[in-house]
Amino acid sequence: MAGRINDEDIALVRERARIDNIVGAYVTLRNAGGGSLKGLCPFHDEKTPSFQVTPARGLFYCFGCGVGGDVITFMQKIDNLTFTEAVQTLADKVGVQLRIVDDGKPSLPAGLRVRIMEANKLAAEFYSKALAAPEALEARRMLDGRGFDRPAAEHFGVGYAPRDGRALHRHLNHAGFRDDELVSAGLIREHGGWDYFQGRVMWPIKDSGASVLGFGARHLYDDDRLPAKYINTPETPVYKKSHVLYGLDLARQNIGKKLQAVVMEGYTDVMSAHLAGVDTAVAVCGTAFGPDHARLLQRLMGNNDSTQGEIVFTFDGDKAGQAAALKVYKLDRSFTTQTYVAVEPNGLDPCDLRMAKGDAAVRELVGRREPLYRYVMAHTVAGYDLDRADGRVAAVRAAAGMLASIRDANLVGEYVRDLSRLVGMDVDEVRRILKQARNQGAGGRREPPVPVVSEDADPVEPGDSPGWPDRNDRNLDVERGTLKLMLQHPTLFDTAWNGVSTSDFTHPAFRALFGAILSTPYVPTGWTDSLQQATGDELVRQLEIALLVEPILRSPDEGYASAYTSRLKLLTTARAIDDLKSWLQRTNPLQDKDAYDAMFMKLLDLETSRKKLSQASLGLTE
C-alpha cells in the first residue's frame, strides 16, 4: 500500500508518546531540576551527562554532540528508522491507529505494526494456555527436567506450539486476523498457511515495555521437520534479532539500578538466573552478541564511567565458549563500563549448574567473574609453547596489542604482572618485550591505543561548525538568554518583542533565529512547531531545540523578560557608543564641525539611553 501518514495522526502520536517514557526505555534519566531530566547521551560516548529531556515541551537535546528533536526524531536516530517507521513504532506503543493518505509512495499497510503486536500478544497467550493441554506433556517434562515448575513457566510466559500445524492459524483467524497479517508477523508460513512453530516449547521475546515482538522455540520430537534445536521468529517489521534481548522486560529496571547486566546464551539460562536471584540476566535471540546489543546494554546501564558498572558474559567452558568470548572481546570497545566473563570450571551452563548445585551456585558463578581481558589473555597465551623461550616471548608479544587497548590505565600494571605469571617470566623482562613490541607495532597485531578523555572536559558543540554559538563565550550570554526566554515563555513579551531588533544580536545564528521568530506570528498552541517548520536552516533548527530545553535558572516573569531585553539593548547601545567615539576621535572638529557636532549630540543621546537601559536591566540576575 502506498501513502503517507495523516498529519492529525502524527500530531496525536506526538501528544500521546511522552518523550520521557520513550527516551527512558533507552537512557537512564535523572531529575535535573526546572522540569528537565538528564542522562548520558545515547548518540555519542560521554562520561558527564549532557543529554537533556524536557517533557513539558516534548523535546530532547544533547549539549555534547548537538543532536536534538522531538520524540519522533529520537526514535529515528536511536533505532535507525525512517520518519514513517518511527511514527509507526510510536503508534504501536501508544495505541494510535494510523490513517494513510495516498501519495504514490510505498509504505507498510495502515495499522499493520499494531496488528502484528496484537497478533503476537494473542499468540503468546495461546501458546501459554496450550502448555497445560494433554498434548504438551513432553514440553512439561522437558521444563520440569530443567528445574522449572508451573509457576516458573507462567512467570516467564513459556508456552507450547501444538503439533496440529494449523492450530494457531485457526485461532487467530477466528480472532479476526487475516492471513497476510499473520505472514507479516512471522506466525504462519506464506505458502500453505502452516503455523511457523509446531510441536515446540515457546518463549515470548519482549521489548523493555513487555510488548511481544517475536518468539524463540525449542524442538521436542525426533520427527520434527526442522533439524535446528532452536528457531526464532523471522525478521518482521517489529522483530529484529540484532536489536532484541530475551529477558529484557524483566531485567531492564534492575540493570539500571544495579549498574550490571549479565549476558547469557540461552532462554533456560536466563530463567535459571532470575530464579536464582541474578535478576539482571538477558540473552541474545538466534544470533551472536553484536554491536547493537552492546549499545542497547550500555544505554540501559545509564553510566559510562569506566570505574562503575559491569557487563558480565557467561560462556560454556568448551572451545565454543572460548571462541564466543574472543568474539565479544572484539566488541569490548563498544562498552565504557568494565566487561567480565564468568565460566563454570566444569563446563556447566547456568541452567545445568542450578540443577546440579542449586541457586547459590548460579549467584557464585557471577560473583567469581573475572575481567574479560584477563580471560582472553590467558587463552591467548595458552596457544604458545611456554616450555620454550621463544614460545614465551611470542606469547608476550601476542598479548601486547590487547594490553595496549585496555581503557583503564590503572589496570595495565596489574595485567602485566598477570601476564608475567602466565608465561613464567620476570615482570621486568615482560615489560621490556612489551615496550619493544609497541615500538615495532607488535607485528601488526597491536590495536591503536584508546584516547584518554578527562572526565572534567567540557562538552563540545556539534561538528565544530563555525556557525554554532560558543556556549563558553560570555559575551553571548545575554543574546542566548533572551532567545531562551522568547522561545520558552513568549507571553512574557509584548507583541513587538519588547522592541528588540535583529541588529541586537551579534552572532549570525542568533540573528537568524530571531529573524525566524519575527516571521512566525505567535499562536497559543503549536507555535514552536510552526517555528521549526518555518526555519529553513538545519543549524538554526537545532539551535531552537537546544534553547527550548536549556534550563532557566529562576522562575521568569514579565519583569525578568524586560530586564533581559533591556540588557540586550544596553549592549547594542554600548557598541554604538564605542563606534561613535571611534569616529569622533578620527574627525577634525574644526575642519568638519557640522558632522562632529551631530555625532557629539548623538553620543549624548546614546549615553542617556545607556543610563536608562542600565537602570532597567538591574533586575537581571541570571
Side-chain angles (χ1 to χ4, degrees):
M1 180 176 180
R4 63 178 178 83
I5 303 171
N6 182 281
D7 291 339
E8 293 179 359
D9 293 343
I10 295 175
L12 184 58
V13 167
R14 281 196 178 100
E15 179 183 336
R16 290 190 181 179
R18 286 184 54 87
I19 194 165
D20 48 336
N21 292 337
I22 299 301
V23 174
Y26 298 86
V27 179
T28 298
L29 297 172
R30 294 180 173 85
N31 192 342
S36 295
L37 303 169
K38 216 169 190 182
L40 291 165
C41 180
F43 304 117
H44 81 289
D45 291 334
E46 63 177 1
K47 295 180 180 180
T48 302
S50 58
F51 182 83
Q52 190 159 308
V53 175
T54 307
R57 301 186 183 281
L59 296 172
F60 75 91
Y61 188 78
C62 176
F63 292 98
C65 66
V67 174
D70 62 9
V71 68
I72 297 174
T73 308
F74 180 82
M75 289 304 299
Q76 285 182 263
K77 294 183 179 298
I78 200 73
D79 284 337
N80 194 27
L81 302 175
T82 65
F83 178 84
T84 299
E85 289 172 338
V87 174
Q88 289 172 328
T89 300
L90 291 170
D92 295 345
K93 294 179 182 292
V94 298
V96 173
Q97 179 71 44
L98 298 176
R99 292 168 292 174
I100 305 298
V101 179
D102 188 11
D103 65 357
K105 296 180 180 179
S107 174
L108 285 174
L112 176 60
R113 294 176 63 89
V114 174
R115 295 289 285 170
I116 290 175
M117 300 291 273
E118 291 173 347
N120 283 341
K121 179 181 178 182
L122 288 181
E125 294 171 354
F126 172 84
Y127 292 140
S128 180
K129 185 176 180 180
L131 185 62
E135 181 194 330
L137 177 62
E138 191 64 29
R140 295 193 296 273
R141 283 177 176 170
M142 189 280 288
L143 290 169
D144 184 67
R146 304 295 282 166
F148 306 121
D149 55 15
R150 181 174 179 178
E154 292 176 349
H155 178 69
F156 292 95
V158 183
Y160 172 74
R163 303 190 75 182
D164 174 285
R166 294 183 185 273
L168 179 66
H169 188 173
R170 291 193 298 271
H171 177 74
L172 293 179
N173 277 165
H174 184 71
F177 289 91
R178 303 188 310 272
D179 285 5
D180 62 316
E181 294 172 328
L182 302 180
V183 170
S184 296
L187 294 171
I188 69 171
R189 298 183 182 275
E190 186 172 6
H191 301 293
W194 295 98
D195 292 349
Y196 193 85
F197 302 103
Q198 302 173 31
R200 288 182 172 246
V201 179
M202 304 296 296
W203 284 270
I205 300 168
K206 304 177 181 181
D207 63 14
S208 60
S211 296
V212 180
L213 304 175
F215 297 90
R218 182 192 187 278
H219 85 98
L220 290 169
Y221 308 106
D222 293 336
D223 61 351
D224 194 317
R225 294 184 300 108
L226 298 176
K229 184 176 180 180
Y230 286 94
I231 60 174
N232 293 82
T233 295
E235 296 277 305
T236 74
V238 302
Y239 180 81
K240 311 290 183 185
K241 61 185 178 181
S242 64
H243 290 74
V244 298
L245 290 166
Y246 175 71
L248 187 63
D249 55 313
L250 300 174
R252 180 193 172 276
Q253 288 188 344
N254 296 318
I255 289 173
K257 290 178 182 177
K258 298 181 179 181
L259 299 180
Q260 179 198 68
V262 181
V263 182
M264 297 188 164
E265 295 189 301
Y267 306 119
T268 57
D269 291 336
V270 171
M271 292 175 67
S272 295
H274 279 263
L275 293 174
V278 182
D279 53 10
T280 58
V282 294
V284 293
C285 304
T287 187
F289 189 89
D292 290 323
H293 298 122
R295 284 189 286 270
L296 173 59
L297 285 181
Q298 189 64 67
R299 291 194 295 266
L300 292 177
M301 293 286 285
N303 193 308
N304 282 23
D305 187 339
S306 62
T307 64
Q308 298 185 34
E310 60 183 36
I311 297 177
V312 183
F313 295 91
T314 64
F315 300 109
D316 294 341
D318 56 15
K319 289 185 178 180
Q322 294 175 19
L326 291 172
K327 288 181 180 178
V328 168
Y329 165 68
K330 293 179 180 179
L331 293 172
D332 188 69
R333 296 248 184 117
S334 298
F335 304 100
T336 52
T337 52
Q338 292 300 306
T339 48
Y340 295 83
V341 62
V343 177
E344 210 284 322
N346 296 318
L348 298 176
D349 62 32
C351 184
D352 290 333
L353 180 62
R354 178 172 177 263
M355 287 190 296
K357 299 183 180 180
D359 291 348
V362 179
R363 295 193 296 270
E364 290 170 6
L365 170 66
V366 177
R368 293 195 309 268
R369 65 203 178 279
E370 63 175 312
L372 179 60
Y373 283 110
R374 184 176 294 166
Y375 178 85
V376 173
M377 184 167 64
H379 285 278
T380 299
V381 168
Y384 293 85
D385 184 355
L386 301 181
D387 291 332
R388 296 166 52 93
D390 57 347
R392 293 191 292 273
V393 171
V396 172
R397 287 174 176 167
M402 182 185 61
L403 290 171
S405 68
I406 294 174
R407 294 184 302 273
D408 190 342
N410 296 321
L411 296 175
V412 174
E414 183 62 31
Y415 289 159
V416 169
R417 286 187 285 273
D418 286 342
L419 178 58
S420 70
R421 288 191 290 267
L422 286 170
V423 298
M425 295 177 65
D426 181 77
V427 65
D428 291 333
E429 179 65 11
V430 169
R431 290 194 181 101
R432 185 190 66 77
I433 297 171
L434 290 173
K435 181 179 180 181
Q436 183 183 56
R438 285 195 299 269
N439 293 337
Q440 296 176 352
R445 295 185 184 215
R446 179 175 178 261
E447 297 179 28
V450 178
V452 178
V453 180
S454 170
E455 294 183 22
D456 299 324
D458 291 327
V460 296
E461 298 292 2
D464 294 327
S465 169
W468 190 269
D470 183 359
R471 290 183 67 205
N472 296 318
D473 187 346
R474 312 315 299 176
N475 295 322
L476 297 176
D477 282 354
V478 176
E479 295 180 30
R480 190 181 196 93
T482 303
L483 288 170
K484 271 199 300 184
L485 280 173
M486 288 178 172
L487 290 168
Q488 297 185 31
H489 300 281
T491 56
L492 298 181
F493 298 82
D494 61 25
T495 56
W497 298 102
N498 292 4
V500 172
S501 68
T502 53
S503 61
D504 291 321
F505 297 92
T506 60
H507 195 283
F510 286 151
R511 195 158 51 244
L513 176 50
F514 183 67
I517 291 174
L518 287 178
S519 63
T520 308
Y522 175 75
V523 291
T525 304
W527 178 66
T528 54
D529 292 336
S530 300
L531 185 60
Q532 281 273 294
Q533 294 171 7
T535 304
D537 187 276
E538 178 61 26
L539 182 145
V540 178
R541 276 198 298 269
Q542 289 297 307
L543 184 57
E544 290 170 10
I545 295 171
L547 297 182
L548 276 166
V549 302
E550 199 170 293
I552 294 173
L553 301 183
R554 57 167 278 188
S555 180
D557 52 24
E558 290 185 1
Y560 190 56
S562 177
Y564 242 117
T565 52
S566 294
R567 178 67 61 85
L568 182 68
K569 289 186 284 187
L570 174 62
L571 294 175
T572 302
T573 301
R575 289 193 297 273
I577 290 174
D578 290 341
D579 291 343
L580 198 53
K581 285 181 176 179
S582 175
W583 277 102
L584 284 170
Q585 289 176 354
R586 288 177 282 130
T587 303
N588 189 319
L590 298 178
Q591 296 178 351
D592 200 354
K593 184 176 183 302
D594 291 343
Y596 186 92
D597 290 346
M599 284 188 287
F600 188 81
M601 293 302 298
K602 186 176 182 180
L603 178 62
L604 294 177
D605 290 339
L606 288 173
E607 289 288 2
T608 301
S609 296
R610 177 157 67 175
K611 291 178 181 179
K612 292 179 180 178
L613 290 169
S614 180
Q615 185 67 30
S617 65
L618 290 178
L620 183 61
T621 58
E622 183 183 343

